[in-house]
Amino acid sequence: EDKVVQSPLSLVVHEGDTVTLNCSYEVTNFRSLLWYKQEKKAPTFLFMLTSSGIEKKSGRLSSILDKKELFSILNITATQTGDSAVYLCAVGRSYNTDKLIFGTGTRLQVFP
Amino acid sequence: GAVVSQHPSWVICKSGTSVKIECRSLDFQATTMFWYRQFPKQSLMLMATSNEGSKATYEQGVEKDKFLINHASLTLSTLTVTSAHPEDSSFYICSARAQTSGGAGTQYFGPGTRLTVL
């Protein structure tokens, strides 16, 4: 059965800290891995990764994929209270390119 | 670009009534839309895939007669929860895949609809 597992489930840090969120997957016909940020409403897109070893960056956020070890990490440096959210990892499969399998998410809380 | 709206944002209804939720892609055409359900502190669970002009494809365990999906145009899909019960109370989120996007996962999410059934 395909599955996407995220860790930790929850994380509490102070502003300025750096955090690393993990996502591992066991999915047949893997095509892409996506990261989303969900605050009070629907998820907003962060990154899509398809190739191993290529880091994607957006400001203080960065992510990388390891297709050999079947995992991805999302790094957030110099965290701010506005980074508090649930971060979701999702995997898309090549034989059905539209469906995404979501992990349970990591809840990040950043305190001042 | 790539904005998806949902209406209503929040609905409270009595048990036994039907509720319709709309999902619109505002600035792009979406041949495929997806409906998800999210319970508190849980992840998104795909309910069904909605393709314009054809019947929706439901995930295992989702009752198609209870959750009616209509994708009548390239910018609108509707989800109707029929004879709603308290256990149907949840956060319903739609997403739309842009017609010209390349590759898997380029889905844009709506803001969600919170359904509470009394």
Side-chain angles (χ1 to χ4, degrees):
Chain A
E1 184 182 341
D2 294 333
K3 61 180 178 180
V4 178
V5 178
Q6 291 185 245
S7 64
L9 293 178
S10 186
L11 195 55
V12 179
V13 299
H14 287 292
E15 271 191 320
D17 289 350
T18 293
V19 297
T20 299
L21 310 183
N22 303 290
C23 175
S24 63
Y25 61 91
E26 291 179 28
V27 175
T28 54
N29 300 303
F30 171 91
R31 176 165 182 166
S32 62
L33 185 144
L34 298 94
W35 285 96
Y36 290 89
K37 177 182 181 182
Q38 185 177 27
E39 296 174 85
K40 291 187 177 178
K41 292 195 171 180
T44 54
F45 174 79
L46 295 176
F47 299 112
M48 182 168 79
L49 304 154
T50 56
S51 301
S52 278
I54 300 173
E55 185 183 50
K56 293 217 172 178
K57 289 198 73 169
S58 177
R60 296 177 293 104
L61 277 67
S62 64
S63 183
I64 197 162
L65 173 67
D66 186 328
K67 291 168 73 173
K68 182 180 177 185
E69 300 297 329
L70 308 183
F71 78 93
S72 173
I73 60 172
L74 174 68
N75 276 321
I76 308 175
T77 59
T79 52
Q80 302 171 357
T81 54
D83 296 325
S84 297
V86 174
Y87 290 84
L88 295 168
C89 170
V91 172
R93 292 170 292 185
S94 60
Y95 74 86
N96 187 332
T97 58
D98 292 330
K99 291 170 69 169
L100 297 177
I101 304 168
F102 279 86
T104 51
T106 294
R107 182 174 297 274
L108 173 65
Q109 292 177 278
V110 182
F111 286 100
Chain B
V3 177
V4 177
S5 71
Q6 278 185 244
H7 176 80
S9 300
W10 193 15
V11 57
I12 301 174
C13 68
K14 289 185 177 180
S15 188
T17 60
S18 294
V19 175
K20 180 187 281 189
I21 303 170
E22 292 185 350
C23 177
R24 291 181 187 272
S25 54
L26 298 185
D27 51 1
F28 66 99
Q29 293 185 326
T31 52
T32 304
M33 290 184 172
F34 305 88
W35 287 96
Y36 295 86
R37 183 166 50 185
Q38 186 177 34
F39 291 108
K41 296 189 179 181
Q42 294 188 25
S43 192
L44 279 71
M45 297 297 296
L46 180 65
M47 297 175 66
T49 302
S50 167
N51 293 297
E52 186 266 336
S54 63
K55 290 183 179 180
T57 303
Y58 291 82
E59 294 300 299
Q60 194 172 9
V62 178
E63 298 176 60
K64 62 181 180 181
D65 294 330
K66 180 168 184 61
F67 299 99
L68 301 178
I69 291 172
N70 185 292
H71 193 157
S73 76
L74 286 172
T75 59
L76 173 64
S77 175
T78 60
L79 168 69
T80 302
V81 183
T82 62
S83 188
H85 290 284
E87 57 265 30
D88 298 323
S89 299
S90 187
F91 192 50
Y92 291 86
I93 305 173
C94 75
S95 71
R97 182 172 181 271
Q99 193 172 13
T100 57
S101 68
T106 318
Q107 293 182 26
Y108 301 95
F109 285 86
T113 296
R114 186 162 301 283
L115 170 64
T116 301
V117 184
L118 302 178

